Amino acid sequence: GDFTVGAYLARRLEQAGLKHYFMVPGDYNLVLLDELLLNKNLEQIGCCNELNAAYAAEGYARANGCGAVVTTFNVGAFSALNGVAGAYAESLPVIFVCSGPNTNDPDANHLLHHTIGTHDFAYQYEMFRNVTCAAVRVLHPDNAPYLIDHAIGTALRESKPAYIEIACNLSDAPCLLPAPFETLAFQRLSNVPALTAAVEQAGGLLAKADRPLLLAGVHLRSFGAIDAFRELAEALGCAVAVMPNAKGFFPEDHPQYIGVYWGGISSPGCEPIVDWADLVLAAGPMFTDYTTVGWTAMLARERLIDAQPGHVRLPDAQFANVTLPDLLTGLAARVPGNPATLDQYRRQSEKITVRPEPAAVDGTALTRLELWRQIEAELDGRTTLLVETGDSWLNGIYTQLPGGARFEIEMQWGSIGWAVPAAFGYRMGLEPDRRLIAVIGDGSFQLTAQEVANMIRHDQELLIFLVNNRGYVVESEIHDGPYNYIKNWDYAGLIAPWNAEDGNGLGLTATTARELADAVAQARGHTGGPVLIECRIQHDDCSRELLKFGTRVAHANARPPQQG
Ligand SMILES: Cc1ncc(Cn2nnc(CCOP(=O)(O)OP(=O)(O)O)c2C)c(N)n1
C-alpha cells in the first residue's frame, strides 16, 4: 500500500536502531505524531519540555547509538536547540524533527502563530544548519525520501545531529516506499592508499620510539574505535591513559591502565609517565581549555600522533580519509610490543588508593569524600556512572570504575541541566539488566528537575545522588560572587508531589555517613521507580582538583585582549 511521509520517517528511525523517540506535541506536529504512532516498533515518549526532550534524545544516543526528538515549530524547536547543539559538541547522532508551516502559507503571504510574525519561515532551518551536519526542509512529498535519507545517513556517518523540517500538511502525504537502509551509505570508509601510507608511517614512528604511550580520547565511542584502541594497546603492551572525557573507554581494571591524564590534576602517578613518553598516540582527542586545564597540559607536536575521526596528523605529515578504527586496527597488526612506559609506571607507582577508608560510617556529618567513597562502593560491572557538570565531574573522574562499568559525562558542551533528562533518555535506551547511577549538583538539578516525573511515569529504576552543597560550587571556586548562591529546595520532598496518585519514586535525605549508608541500602531494595538521595554537604567541601582546575580555567578566561 502507499506509504506516507511520516511512515517513511518512522521506518528510517526504526532502521537506524531506535525503539523510542522523545517529543512534545504542538498543533503543527500532531498529524506527524499520529503517523509515527502507527509504527508499532517505535515508542513515543513525552517530555515536560523540548529542552529536556533534546537532552533525553542525546542521553538515549549514548546508550543506543542514535536518538530522535520531535517538536513543534519555533517555540518547541528553539528550546530544543541547546540540546541539539550539545549533541553536535558531543558527536552524537540525534535526529531533530520539526513540523513547519503549511506549504500554502508562503504563497498566500500569510502570517502564522508560533513564528516571529514575518513572512519568511526559513530562519529556523538557517539557525539549525549551524549546529547539525545535515539540515533539510521537506516542502514537497516527492523530495521526502531523498531528504530524509540524506539527513539520517549523514548523521550516522558523521556521528552528529541532523535537522529534518517537514511541512505540517505533508505528514500524511503519499510517499515512495523506502529503499533498503544500506542505500543511506552511513558507514565511514577509509581511502585505502591513505590508510596504507598512514599505517606505514605511524607504525614506523611507534616501532622506533623508545617509550611509546597510548592516550584514549573522547571520540573513541562515537566513531566505533573502542575495540580497535584496546587491540592496539595490547599489541603495544605500553602504558595506557585516558583523557577525562574518555573515562571508561578503556577498562580501568586492565593491567596496562595508568589512569586519567589531565595535566596537573591527573590520576596519581600518571602525568610523569605521559611526560616521560617519547611518543604519544592520542586516539580521538579533543584538546580544549578544559581537557588541557587552561592550556597547561599540551602535548608537543614532535612527539604526538593525533588520530582524529577522519584524519591522522603525525609530527611531520597528515593523512586524510583514514578512519579511527581502521588506523588503530592497522597499527595493531604492525607494531612491535614495547612495555617501557608501563614498566616505568609500575616501578614508580605503589598501589595508590585515591579514596581513603572511612573514619567510621556513623553519625559524623556527611562529607564529599565519604559520599564518593560510598558511591564508588556502589558501582559494579553492570553500572553506568553519569555525572553532571560541577564538582560531580571531578569527583566522578577520579572514581575507580570496576571492569564493565561505564561512565557518561558531557564535558564538551557542559550545559547544566543536561543530566536529569539525559539520564531519563539513557535509561530508556539502556539494556534492562544494567544499572544507572547519576550524580547531580543542586544548581544543575534546578534547571530541568521536572523530568524526574517522567522517570516515575515510566517506572524507571535508577539512583540519583543529589549533591546539595548549597549553590554553584564549581563557579564559586572559579570566581565567586553573590550570583553563585541559590534558593534551597527540599529536594527529597519533591518526589512525593511528582508521584501524585500512582508513582513509585522514593526521596531520601542523608546528612551523616550512617544516614547515607542506610539510604543506599534502601535504594538497593527499591523497585519500580527512581530513588533520589539528597546528600547534604558543606559549600566549600569540594575536590582539591576543582581548586586547581578552577584557578587555571579562570586564568585562561582572564587573558587580556591582544594589544596592538
Ligand atoms: C546552561 C548552563 N548555564 C550556566 C552554566 C554555568 N555553570 N556551570 N556550573 C554551574 C553551577 C553548577 O552547580 P551545581 O550543579 O550545584 O554543581 P556544583 O558545582 O558541584 O555545586 C553553573 C551555573 C552552565 N555550565 N550551563
Side-chain angles (χ1 to χ4, degrees):
D2 61 8
F3 235 50
T4 63
V5 169
Y8 192 99
L9 172 66
R11 172 66 62 82
R12 286 305 195 213
L13 293 178
E14 179 193 349
Q15 291 170 323
L18 279 75
K19 295 177 182 50
H20 311 80
Y21 57 92
F22 301 89
M23 61 92 208
V24 175
D27 64 309
Y28 284 106
N29 70 18
L30 299 177
V31 175
L32 178 63
L33 293 176
D34 287 342
E35 288 297 316
L36 296 177
L37 281 172
L38 294 176
N39 183 314
K40 298 308 176 197
N41 299 320
L42 292 173
E43 188 178 350
Q44 191 171 94
I45 306 290
C47 289
C48 297
N49 62 53
E50 290 85 350
L51 172 63
N52 291 6
Y55 281 149
E58 195 262 27
Y60 189 86
R62 292 166 181 264
N64 180 66
C66 182
V69 46
V70 184
T71 77
T72 192
F73 197 59
N74 274 209
V75 294
F78 293 151
S79 286
L81 182 59
N82 182 351
V84 173
Y88 195 99
E90 300 291 326
S91 289
L92 291 163
V94 166
I95 311 301
F96 174 75
V97 180
C98 186
S99 296
N102 181 299
T103 52
N104 299 295
D105 285 320
D107 292 351
N109 200 32
H110 282 164
L111 293 178
L112 296 175
H113 76 287
H114 285 345
T115 72
I116 57 175
T118 58
H119 290 102
D120 178 346
F121 304 124
Y123 55 94
Q124 176 179 300
Y125 158 79
E126 294 297 343
M127 289 161 78
F128 274 83
R129 284 177 70 183
N130 298 294
V131 294
T132 54
C133 64
V136 300
R137 300 183 79 205
V138 179
L139 304 175
H140 191 289
D142 289 358
N143 305 337
Y146 165 71
L147 293 176
I148 290 171
D149 286 3
H150 168 67
I152 294 176
T154 309
L156 292 173
R157 193 170 56 251
E158 306 295 326
S159 199
K160 294 285 184 188
Y163 172 92
I164 302 174
E165 181 184 326
I166 301 173
C168 60
N169 59 325
L170 300 187
S171 309
D172 54 358
C175 176
L176 291 178
L177 281 164
F181 189 60
E182 290 62 34
T183 57
L184 272 68
F186 48 82
Q187 293 92 351
R188 282 182 286 274
L189 303 172
S190 296
N191 168 287
V192 175
L195 176 62
T196 307
V199 168
E200 192 51 40
Q201 286 214 23
L205 291 176
L206 284 166
K208 268 201 335 268
D210 296 324
R211 306 182 301 281
L213 176 137
L214 284 184
L215 182 60
V218 65
H219 291 314
L220 278 183
R221 195 247 312 263
S222 289
F223 294 90
I226 286 182
D227 293 345
F229 179 80
R230 179 172 179 158
E231 210 181 310
L232 175 56
E234 290 169 355
L236 264 172
C238 63
V240 180
V242 302
M243 294 180 72
N245 47 8
K247 181 178 174 73
F249 293 168
F250 187 77
E252 299 196 355
D253 62 340
H254 193 287
Q256 293 173 243
Y257 180 66
I258 71 165
V260 176
Y261 173 64
W262 202 3
I265 53 174
S266 299
S267 305
C270 177
E271 186 187 21
I273 301 301
V274 175
D275 289 348
W276 185 69
D278 64 348
L279 183 64
V280 175
L281 189 152
M286 286 182 79
F287 294 115
T288 72
D289 51 347
Y290 272 18
T291 61
T292 66
V293 198
W295 312 110
T296 61
M298 295 296 288
L299 297 174
R301 274 200 174 186
E302 47 277 4
R303 68 179 182 114
L304 176 65
I305 295 176
D306 183 354
Q308 288 298 323
H311 68 274
V312 55
R313 191 179 64 208
L314 310 184
D316 55 2
Q318 174 143 339
F319 298 87
N321 296 311
V322 175
T323 70
L324 209 42
D326 287 351
L327 174 75
L328 300 178
T329 304
L331 289 173
R334 187 198 181 290
V335 294
N338 181 339
T341 48
L342 184 58
D343 295 345
Q344 184 69 351
Y345 174 75
R346 286 175 174 157
R347 284 187 205 101
Q348 292 178 344
S349 309
E350 67 294 341
K351 184 79 190 86
I352 295 159
T353 51
V354 177
R355 220 167 293 288
E357 281 313 304
V361 182
D362 59 13
T364 46
L366 184 59
T367 64
R368 177 189 56 84
L369 271 180
E370 175 57 17
L371 165 62
W372 279 92
R373 193 194 61 75
Q374 292 198 29
I375 291 172
E376 189 171 74
E378 196 53 23
L379 301 181
D380 62 21
R382 301 180 302 128
T383 305
T384 296
L385 174 62
L386 184 148
V387 292
E388 174 66 280
T389 297
D391 201 28
S392 300
W393 269 3
L394 292 112
N395 291 295
I397 283 165
Y398 301 107
T399 296
Q400 178 79 24
L401 297 181
R406 298 174 193 168
F407 186 73
E408 295 295 345
I409 187 170
E410 193 214 29
M411 192 169 189
Q412 181 51 34
W413 194 236
S415 182
I416 59 170
W418 160 84
V420 167
F424 173 58
Y426 186 88
R427 178 75 264 185
M428 197 65 76
L430 190 64
E431 306 97 294
D433 64 341
R434 285 194 66 90
R435 301 172 63 220
L436 175 59
I437 290 178
V439 189
I440 305 173
D442 53 336
S444 300
F445 187 76
Q446 291 197 0
L447 276 84
T448 55
Q450 74 276 76
E451 217 58 41
V452 170
N454 279 318
M455 294 174 176
I456 293 170
R457 179 184 190 185
H458 291 277
D459 304 330
Q460 286 193 337
E461 294 184 0
L462 59 95
L463 173 53
I464 296 173
F465 288 95
L466 190 288
V467 185
N468 186 355
N469 54 18
R470 308 305 290 264
Y472 301 149
V473 169
V474 69
E475 298 292 293
S476 290
E477 307 312 336
I478 291 179
H479 175 113
D480 208 3
Y483 31 76
N484 290 329
Y485 297 84
I486 59 178
K487 171 75 181 68
N488 189 38
W489 292 2
D490 172 7
Y491 296 96
L494 284 168
I495 302 300
W498 282 326
N499 278 339
E501 69 285 349
D502 61 354
N504 196 16
L506 175 63
L508 303 169
T509 305
T511 62
T512 68
R514 163 55 51 208
E515 284 177 6
L516 181 61
D518 293 346
V520 170
Q522 199 177 339
R524 218 175 282 139
H526 185 78
T527 59
V531 179
L532 181 144
I533 304 175
E534 178 187 342
C535 309
R536 294 180 187 163
I537 64 174
Q538 296 298 314
H539 185 76
D540 283 329
D541 184 0
C542 67
S543 63
R544 57 170 171 270
E545 292 82 6
L546 175 59
L547 302 180
K548 250 185 165 180
F549 175 77
T551 49
R552 282 158 179 71
V553 167
H555 184 261
N557 287 343
R559 283 163 299 157
Q562 293 307 313
Q563 305 308 329

